[in-house]
């Protein structure tokens, strides 16, 4: 059954997985329980998916996530939302 589910997942042509901010909030607010996050990380690695964390809003969260091995972050700590045109001009 597991192999069948993995094949279906791979057929979706997914190469990235984003962890929702609600999971991150639980990491900080629930005594640092990392079991769910570690399970997600293991699944992403098994499926060869790039992992992104959403909702990183402070240094404490970023440090804990870096300690777990994350390298890609999204949230107010990284940047507030900006217009697409402003983002594109910042790349020049």
């Amino acid at each position: 059954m597991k192999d069948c589910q993995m094949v279906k997942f791979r057929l979706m042509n997914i190469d990235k997985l984003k962890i929702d901010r609600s999971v991150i909030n639980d990491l900080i607010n629930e005594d640092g329980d990392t079991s769910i996050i570690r399970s997600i990380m293991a699944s992403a690695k098994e499926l060869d998916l790039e992992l992104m964390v959403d909702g990183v809003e402070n240094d404490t969260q970023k440090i804990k996530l870096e300690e777990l091995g994350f390298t890609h972050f999204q949230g107010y700590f990284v940047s507030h939302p900006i217009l697409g045109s402003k983002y594109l001009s910042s790349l020049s």
Side-chain angles (χ1 to χ4, degrees):
M1 182 73 168
K2 179 183 173 188
D3 291 334
C4 182
Q5 290 172 340
M6 291 180 84
V7 168
K8 287 180 184 178
F9 200 71
R10 286 192 176 122
L11 289 174
M12 292 177 168
N13 200 25
I14 296 171
D15 60 354
K16 294 175 183 63
L17 180 65
K18 186 189 291 189
I19 297 179
D20 187 69
R21 66 179 288 166
S22 63
V23 177
I24 302 313
N25 288 337
D26 289 345
L27 171 68
I28 302 304
N29 298 330
E30 301 290 328
D31 298 325
D33 182 8
T34 60
S35 59
I36 292 173
I37 292 174
R38 289 184 191 280
S39 296
I40 294 169
M41 291 178 77
S43 296
K45 184 176 182 178
E46 178 75 22
L47 295 167
D48 196 29
L49 300 175
E50 184 179 323
L51 205 48
M52 163 78 69
V53 183
D54 186 27
V56 179
E57 297 184 359
N58 59 58
D59 197 42
T60 303
Q61 290 173 327
K62 187 171 185 281
I63 289 169
K64 279 194 171 193
L65 292 164
E66 285 175 331
E67 289 171 354
L68 289 168
F70 287 96
T71 57
H72 295 30
F73 307 97
Q74 185 178 18
Y76 287 123
F77 184 74
V78 178
S79 173
H80 287 273
I82 59 173
L83 292 174
S85 57
K86 191 171 187 177
Y87 171 74
L88 292 175
S89 68
S90 74
L91 297 177
S92 306

